[in-house]
């Protein structure tokens, strides 16, 4: 199962690269495509053109842009493809009230039709097999069963990503970036050997390239580790695309269409079979955090007190990112934005709710998450992290050793952020 993202299909030349990848390996049977993406930084994705076309008075001018883009792809591929009839059909169906999701999904539809024609593969429409309920939520089990049945007679096929049909027969889309989910569902349903996700990067980087120069690509990572990394804001693929393949244990391989010679990142259930030279799988971090420290005698022994505190957070609509409990202290990590301009008022509320001895709120914090499946099983990983920071005179203000033993969260002052990431990276990668 092979999926290509929007930048991998942005031009005829990119289509050719993608097709060459498919043809190179006989085992690449099924292809899921996104809509053509940006050709350069200033460009607009085809999906965004369609979204704009749904706005009042924008339809005709946006359609001209969309047609121009697809025409240049069809011409560049030297294909005999009846684009005009397809466009007429889209125009009429939309005018007849097919809905906004229908129009927005047509980038994937056209890309898949063109790719199928170019490869000589069957076109199988996602609307036949990706099933949503009337609220627009995916019907998971039904979808997987249906894909298996529909795909069965096809040896090779191209399927448009991003959309399906609801119980009322209307086209519905996933959230943005949702072609990844289609790919994962097809991979799971056809019991693929691997789900190759071809994009414009060579996989997941060990650290932010804006901080560490030329960081290494993570060679192998587990689904669990990936979850930790994406929860901290590093985007790899759509969050909901992990579940279907993880459930059945199909590995995901993130690859770069422009550098097919690179192995990319392999995401697996169990990494024991892969030699691992590095003891960590990734470092991700964020600035803009605050910690709220509440002190009261026997605070954590009394569950009533803790409940009352959490109620205050709920009432004030403050999301708790992480929570550390001591004997008499509870330290809660939140986004700085949530306490901005209301530190005093919030402290007072928390203090009176439980008659606390002290409440202090510190902002200007950064958090760094180090993800490592070796953390709890290999002695020394956490010590090395802390030693690397100590060597740079960086004070650790807060430390959370993840409950599942595969990550460590560190709170430091924001002005140490970049240095801290560099120090940890050097310790594990450069050494
Ligand atoms: N074309 C859709 C988007 O831009 C879906 C996708 O590319 O996965 O979000």
């Amino acid at each position: 199962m092979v999926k290509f993202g929007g930048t991998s299909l942005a031009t005829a030349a990119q289509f050719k690269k993608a097709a060459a990848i498919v043809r190179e390996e006989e085992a690449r049977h099924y292809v899921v495509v996104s809509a053509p993406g940006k050709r350069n930084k200033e460009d607009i994705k085809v999906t965004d053109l369609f979204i704009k076309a749904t706005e009042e008075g924008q339809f005709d001018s946006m359609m001209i842009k969309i047609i121009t883009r697809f025409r240049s792809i069809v011409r560049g591929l030297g294909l005999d493809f009846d684009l005009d009839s397809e466009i007429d059909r889209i125009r009429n169906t939309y005018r007849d009230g097919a809905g906004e999701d229908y129009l927005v999904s047509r980038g994937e539809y056209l890309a898949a039709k063109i790719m199928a024609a170019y490869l000589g593969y069957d076109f199988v429409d996602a609307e036949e097999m990706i099933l949503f309920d009337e609220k627009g939520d995916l019907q998971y089990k039904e979808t997987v069963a249906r894909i298996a049945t529909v795909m069965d007679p096809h040896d090779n096929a191209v399927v448009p990503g991003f959309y399906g049909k609801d119980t009322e027969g209307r086209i519905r889309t996933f959230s943005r970036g949702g072609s990844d989910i289609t790919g994962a569902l097809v991979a799971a349903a056809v019991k693929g050997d691997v789900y190759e996700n071809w994009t414009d990067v060579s996989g997941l980087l060990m650290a932010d390239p804006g901080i560490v120069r030329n960081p290494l690509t993570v060679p192998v990572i587990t689904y669990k580790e990936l979850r930790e990394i994406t929860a901290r804001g590093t985007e790899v693929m759509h969050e909901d695309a992990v579940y279907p393949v993880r459930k059945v244990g199909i590995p995901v391989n993130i690859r770069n269409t422009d550098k097919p010679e690179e192995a990319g990142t392999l995401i697996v259930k169990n990494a024991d079979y892969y030699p691992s030279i590095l003891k960590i799988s990734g470092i991700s971090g964020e600035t803009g955090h605050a910690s709220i420290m509440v002190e009261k005698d026997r605070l954590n022994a009394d569950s009533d007190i803790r409940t009352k505190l959490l109620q205050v957070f709920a009432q004030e609509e403050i999301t708790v990112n992480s929570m550390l409990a001591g004997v008499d202290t509870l330290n809660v990590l939140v986004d700085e934005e949530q306490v901005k301009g209301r530190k005093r008022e919030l402290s007072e509320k928390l203090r009176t709710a439980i008659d606390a001895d002290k409440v202090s709120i510190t902002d200007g914090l950064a958090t760094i998450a180090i993800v490592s499946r070796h953390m709890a099983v290999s002695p020394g990983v956490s010590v090395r992290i802390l030693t690397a920071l100590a060597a740079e005179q960086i004070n650790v203000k807060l430390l959370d050793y993840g409950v599942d033993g595969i990550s460590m969260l560190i709170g430091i002052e924001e002005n140490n952020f970049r240095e801290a990431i560099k120090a940890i990276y050097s310790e594990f990668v450069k050494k």
Side-chain angles (χ1 to χ4, degrees):
M1 188 18 251
V2 191
K3 183 253 166 183
F4 291 96
T7 41
S8 305
L9 303 163
T11 59
Q14 291 298 88
F15 259 78
K16 284 183 186 168
K17 280 187 204 166
I21 289 168
V22 175
R23 287 191 184 119
E24 188 198 78
E25 176 61 74
E26 237 179 88
R28 292 183 176 126
H29 287 276
Y30 302 124
V31 183
V32 167
V33 294
S34 279
K38 293 184 182 189
R39 290 162 293 187
N40 52 57
K41 271 211 174 96
E42 293 72 42
D43 200 16
I44 305 173
K45 289 180 176 188
V46 163
T47 304
D48 288 303
L49 294 174
F50 274 117
I51 291 173
K52 188 102 184 128
T54 65
E55 290 173 15
E56 180 92 30
Q58 295 288 340
F59 187 81
D60 290 326
S61 60
M62 286 304 127
M63 284 309 277
I64 291 172
K65 291 190 179 181
I66 291 162
I67 294 165
T68 310
R69 285 210 59 180
F70 279 108
R71 181 149 292 140
S72 95
I73 291 172
V74 170
R75 284 213 182 119
L77 295 175
L79 270 185
D80 178 21
F81 181 85
D82 192 358
L83 186 62
D84 293 334
S85 312
E86 291 288 355
I87 295 289
D88 281 346
R89 181 131 41 95
I90 291 172
R91 206 178 253 135
N92 295 335
T93 314
Y94 182 59
R95 291 226 165 106
D96 289 345
E100 290 184 359
D101 278 14
Y102 167 78
L103 191 63
V104 171
S105 71
R106 292 305 94 183
E108 270 73 10
Y109 169 85
L110 288 171
K113 281 236 137 166
I114 294 168
M115 186 54 108
Y118 188 61
L119 281 172
Y121 278 23
D122 301 337
F123 167 82
V124 179
D125 203 337
E127 67 169 58
E128 284 183 55
M129 27 187 214
I130 308 288
L131 310 171
F132 293 94
D133 63 18
E134 65 290 347
K135 292 200 307 273
D137 292 329
L138 176 72
Q139 296 185 299
Y140 182 80
K141 272 198 193 139
E142 293 82 348
T143 294
V144 171
R146 185 105 186 102
I147 296 173
T149 316
V150 174
M151 294 305 270
D152 191 49
H154 302 277
D155 209 21
N156 297 301
V158 182
V159 178
F162 191 39
Y163 71 92
K165 208 179 223 175
D166 70 15
T167 36
E168 262 127 53
R170 295 175 77 81
I171 296 290
R172 295 278 194 142
T173 63
F174 290 113
S175 58
R176 296 302 301 268
S179 299
D180 283 340
I181 311 172
T182 313
L185 290 166
V186 174
V190 303
K191 302 197 169 63
D193 299 313
V194 59
Y195 172 20
E196 290 184 342
N197 192 307
W198 292 83
T199 173
D200 52 5
V201 291
S202 299
L204 182 64
L205 297 175
M206 295 275 302
D208 180 348
I211 297 175
V212 171
R213 195 191 303 218
N214 293 326
L216 281 187
T217 298
V218 183
V220 178
I221 188 170
T222 64
Y223 296 123
K224 249 190 175 170
E225 288 178 300
L226 180 75
R227 194 91 185 108
E228 289 290 326
I229 291 183
T230 37
R232 312 275 166 211
T234 305
E235 205 165 307
V236 191
M237 58 176 189
H238 197 296
E239 224 189 327
D240 298 340
V242 179
Y243 176 78
V245 276
R246 179 182 182 167
K247 196 166 158 24
V248 287
I250 295 173
V252 181
N253 192 190
I254 311 283
R255 301 282 296 263
N256 189 342
T257 304
D258 292 316
K259 293 179 184 164
E261 67 285 0
E262 292 184 5
T265 297
L266 192 64
I267 308 162
V268 293
K269 200 167 200 164
N270 184 348
D272 291 352
Y273 309 109
Y274 301 90
S276 63
I277 301 150
L278 301 172
K279 285 285 179 209
I280 62 171
S281 299
I283 310 166
S284 59
E286 278 172 338
T287 52
H289 290 294
S291 91
I292 304 175
M293 178 117 90
V294 188
E295 291 175 50
K296 181 181 170 71
D297 198 42
R298 293 175 45 76
L299 190 158
N300 286 295
D302 188 334
S303 58
D304 268 359
I305 303 185
R306 220 162 130 166
T307 310
K308 275 186 197 150
L309 272 181
L310 292 178
Q311 270 164 356
V312 177
F313 285 112
Q315 275 156 16
E316 300 300 313
E317 295 185 351
I318 291 176
T319 313
V320 173
N321 294 340
S322 167
M323 198 158 70
L324 289 168
V327 186
D328 303 323
T329 319
L330 191 72
N331 196 337
V332 174
L333 203 63
V334 300
D335 284 351
E336 200 173 57
E337 277 298 308
Q338 303 208 298
V339 296
K340 215 180 200 164
R342 55 196 279 227
K343 279 205 245 168
R344 186 172 296 173
E345 165 215 333
L346 197 63
S347 304
E348 199 43 37
K349 278 197 180 135
L350 288 164
R351 208 186 56 74
T352 44
I354 61 156
D355 191 21
D357 297 331
K358 192 176 166 199
V359 176
S360 43
I361 301 183
T362 316
D363 50 17
L365 291 181
T367 57
I368 296 176
I370 301 97
V371 178
S372 160
R373 56 184 174 272
H374 306 284
M375 192 87 73
V377 288
S378 165
V381 177
S382 40
V383 174
R384 282 174 71 188
I385 295 170
L386 298 174
T387 312
L389 296 176
E392 295 297 319
Q393 308 290 323
I394 297 170
N395 242 334
V396 173
K397 300 240 155 202
L398 185 147
L399 180 67
D400 187 353
Y401 192 63
V403 278
D404 42 13
I406 59 159
S407 71
M408 187 173 184
L409 187 74
I410 291 169
I412 53 171
E413 268 176 27
E414 228 162 47
N415 49 19
N416 291 325
F417 183 60
R418 298 173 69 87
E419 288 321 307
I421 289 185
K422 282 186 196 158
I424 300 167
Y425 183 84
S426 301
E427 171 62 33
F428 288 94
V429 183
K430 295 214 177 127
K431 275 194 187 165

